[in-house]
Each structure stands twice: as C-alpha cells, then as structure tokens.
C-alpha cells in the first residue's frame, strides 16, 4: 500500500516536472519569431525601450510572437540599420536618424534648435510630424515607434563657460547637433554614439553634445567633469519593420503593434526624461560633475548664432520640393500643444 502510494506520488511529480520543463517551450514553439536589431549597448535607452516593447508585444499577443533582441550592433550597426531592415537582415531595427541627415530630411527637422523642451514632448511632436507627412523614405518599412532624446548639453573635459571657450574645440555631435556645434564655432566630429567613449579616451574629441542620460549610461561623467547647460537640439529615433515581415503577421498581431505605436513613443519619452533627472543627480553626487549655467546675456549670444540654422534647413528642404514652412510651423504648433 505504502509503496503504491509512493509510486503514485513519484509518477505525479514526474509529470509535473515534465510539464514545467516542456510548457514554456510549447508556449513559444508555435510562436512566430522576429528579430529586433539595435546599435547601442543594452543598458542605453534605445535598448531599454526595445526590451519593454518585446515584453508588451509577447504579452498582448498571448505568445503568438516571440522577439529575439540584438543590442550592441550584434545584428545590424548604426549606419546600416535602415537598409538592413529593408533588406530583411533583421525584421525590426532601431535607428538614430541624425546619422543620415540627407536621408531623413523631414523627421530630422525636429533636430533643429526649435525649442523642444523634453523627450516626452519631442517624441509626440516627431510622431505627429511623421504621421502627417508620411515621408517617402519610410515607404519601404512599417514604422513601429518614433521618439527623441531629451535636449542636448555640452559634456566636456575642460570647462566651457563662454563662446570663446568653445572655439575650435573638438566635440562629438551628429546631424542637428553637429550643425549647432559648428554655428557656435566648435569643431563638430560626427560618429555614432557607441564610438564616442573610445574617441574621448584617445583624445580624438574633448567632449560631446548630447542628452544627459549618457553621463550615466556611457559613463561620460567619469571622463567629462563639466556640463554646460545648453538644452538645445534633440536626436530623433525611429523603430522600423521590414514590410514583408509585417505583411506576414496575423491581423490581430498587427493590431497589437499598431496600438502600441503611440504608447511606446510616449513611454520612451517619459523614460528618457526620468532617466536624465536620475543621471544628473548621480553625476553630481558620484563624480562631482560641475553644471555650468550661462548667464542671460551669454545665453542670448549663443541662441542668436543658431537662428540661421532653421532658415538654412527651410531653403534646402524647399529645393527638394518639401513644404518646408508648413513643416516648421507644424513642429512649433505641436511643441506648444504638447507643452501645455
Ligand atoms: N547622441 C545621440 C543620441 C543618443 C542619446 N543617447 C543615446 C544612447 C544610445 C545611442 C544614441 C544616443 C546619438 O548618438 O544618436
């Protein structure tokens, strides 16, 4: 009797064990697998948002799709992201549009010094702009999210307290941020973000113009003891999907992803803004980074230097046949609307 019960219990435990081992595999066995490529390291915000999107999609589709994420350029790198996704080397990819200024003319207009106050507003402004103008350069992909960084500030190895401190100083910046640096008399050096820590170490650049969450995520606080508060140009990002991969998805899965476009864009803007606050606090406390505020007179000189940039963009965009004045007008109106 005793041994019969023992056998039953052992049998029961064996079944339970098999279930525990096999169920997760069975749950994803029928799942459609998608690859998602990203260029910077895993702890940085483009990858944090990628992991959040993966979790939400897998949950909301009840495991119908499973997403394999590839941070750190392991599947596609920064500059090859758009073409790699179009070619199907990855199903999904996250790209920084500032790395190809001539390719993403409309969406990169958000990277001009137009006064975007934070990443949440920036992300909503960018998404609205994309949805209204549907630029041709996205015709071969499905857009899954668009978001921006928080405004950029100078992180540097020497203190920058006035425009004269900036003259000829080699700082890393791409797209809109590079133009801002040039207008201030600095020497902008373009390179994807993941190349920047080494360029700083080797002395190729003496600092950078970017959003301040990087103080912590790329440990720039260790290498740049000074931040000059400029709160200027943001960097726009897009998450895009290969059209064949998109078309092959069941309608209800497409619906889940469609419903996430706005939510994910806004979530990322919020995450970025909160993370900037946390990183600034951490940098002051842990690395005693000095934050330099420009006085009103100095600031207005810096701002004046930036005024021609938008006019220059308008002239160039008109030459390409784009409704440039309307685009800038829409960006400014959206900034006002979302800032309320
Ligand atoms: N500096 C811009 C944008 C940027 C800001 N934070 C991160 C983190 C990871 C990659 C890029 C960025 C840029 O290089 O695109």
């Amino acid at each position: 009797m005793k041994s019969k019960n023992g056998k039953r219990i052992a049998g029961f435990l064996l079944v339970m064990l098999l279930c525990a081992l096999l169920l997760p595999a069975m749950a994803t066995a029928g799942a459609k697998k998608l690859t998602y490529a990203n260029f910077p390291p895993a702890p940085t915000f483009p990858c944090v948002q990628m992991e959040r999107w993966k979790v939400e999609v897998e949950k909301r589709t009840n495991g119908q799709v499973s997403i394999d994420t590839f941070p750190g350029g392991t599947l596609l790198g920064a500059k090859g992201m758009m073409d790699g996704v179009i070619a199907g080397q990855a199903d999904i990819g996250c790209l920084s549009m500032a790395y190809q200024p001539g390719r993403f003319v409309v969406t990169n207009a958000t990277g001009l010094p137009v006064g975007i106050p934070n990443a949440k507003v920036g992300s909503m402004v960018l998404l609205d702009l994309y949805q209204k103008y549907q630029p041709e350069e996205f015709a071969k992909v499905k857009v899954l999210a668009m978001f921006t960084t928080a405004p950029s500030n100078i992180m540097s190895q020497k203190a920058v307290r006035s425009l004269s401190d900036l003259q000829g100083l080699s700082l890393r910046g791409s797209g809109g941020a590079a133009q801002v640096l040039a207008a201030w008399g600095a020497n902008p050096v373009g390179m994807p973000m993941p190349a920047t820590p080494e360029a700083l170490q080797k002395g190729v650049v003496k600092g950078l113009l970017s959003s301040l969450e990087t103080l912590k995520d790329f440990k720039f606080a260790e290498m740049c003891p000074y931040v000059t508060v400029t709160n200027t140009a943001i960097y726009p990002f897009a998450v895009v999907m290969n059209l064949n991969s998109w078309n092959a998805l069941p309608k209800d899965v497409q619906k889940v992803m469609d419903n996430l476009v706005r939510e994910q864009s806004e979530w990322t803007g919020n995450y970025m803004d909160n993370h900037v606050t946390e990183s600034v606090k951490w940098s002051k406390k842990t690395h005693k980074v000095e934050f330099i505020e420009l006085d009103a007179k100095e600031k207005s000189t810096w701002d004046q230097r930036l005024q021609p940039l938008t006019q220059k963009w308008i002239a160039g965009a008109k030459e390409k046949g784009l409704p440039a004045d309307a685009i800038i007008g829409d960006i400014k109106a959206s900034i006002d609307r979302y800032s309320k």
Side-chain angles (χ1 to χ4, degrees), residues 26-265:
M26 280 158 62
T28 52
K32 169 125 191 73
K33 279 201 179 297
L34 295 174
T35 52
Y36 188 152
N38 220 326
F39 65 95
T44 62
F45 90 96
C47 295
V48 172
Q49 72 77 34
M50 166 172 80
E51 294 303 328
R52 186 264 172 183
W53 188 86
K54 164 193 161 81
V55 169
E56 289 304 319
V57 168
E58 287 178 354
K59 193 168 74 191
R60 295 181 198 192
T61 59
N62 299 317
Q64 277 189 79
V65 286
S66 104
I67 294 140
D68 287 336
T69 55
F70 295 85
T74 44
L75 184 56
L76 286 171
K79 290 191 179 168
M81 194 59 77
M82 186 69 165
D83 288 328
V85 170
I86 291 172
Q89 288 166 271
D91 296 307
I92 303 168
C94 173
L95 62 131
S96 170
M97 293 184 268
Y99 301 161
Q100 291 173 295
R103 184 171 191 172
F104 302 104
V105 177
V106 175
T107 42
N108 271 326
T110 57
L112 290 162
V114 283
I116 289 175
N118 54 48
K120 156 100 181 292
V121 170
S123 301
M124 295 294 89
V125 169
L126 172 63
L127 184 64
D128 280 2
L129 187 74
Y130 163 72
Q131 286 177 338
K132 175 161 179 184
Y133 290 95
Q134 306 271 327
E136 179 61 25
E137 49 274 23
F138 294 98
K140 291 189 185 147
V141 292
K142 162 76 186 168
V143 169
L144 295 175
M146 282 212 185
F147 42 81
T148 73
T149 64
S152 298
N153 294 277
I154 297 172
M155 292 163 254
S156 54
Q157 291 171 336
K158 70 165 214 179
V160 176
R161 299 182 195 279
S162 65
L163 266 188
S164 60
D165 292 332
L166 254 190
Q167 301 315 296
L169 188 66
S170 292
L171 297 175
R172 184 257 165 202
S174 300
Q179 287 180 34
V180 166
L181 286 172
W184 285 334
N187 173 35
V189 183
M191 69 185 75
M193 190 55 129
T196 310
E198 196 182 323
L200 271 169
Q201 263 154 17
K202 291 191 170 156
V204 175
V205 294
K206 306 286 182 205
L208 69 153
L209 181 66
S210 191
S211 48
L212 294 178
E213 94 292 349
T214 57
L215 283 169
K216 190 169 186 192
D217 292 352
F218 283 93
K219 303 275 182 295
F220 291 142
E222 281 174 17
M223 291 177 264
C224 299
Y226 301 99
V227 168
T228 306
V229 179
T230 53
N231 282 330
T232 183
I234 56 81
Y235 284 81
F237 281 71
V239 179
V240 296
M241 183 168 187
N242 176 279
L243 264 192
N244 291 335
S245 309
W246 170 257
N247 289 330
L249 291 175
K251 286 277 165 289
D252 56 337
V253 170
Q254 288 184 342
K255 197 160 172 237
V256 167
M257 292 185 185
D258 263 334
N259 287 343
L260 259 168
V261 172
R262 198 166 192 82
E263 182 191 315
Q264 180 69 14
S265 305

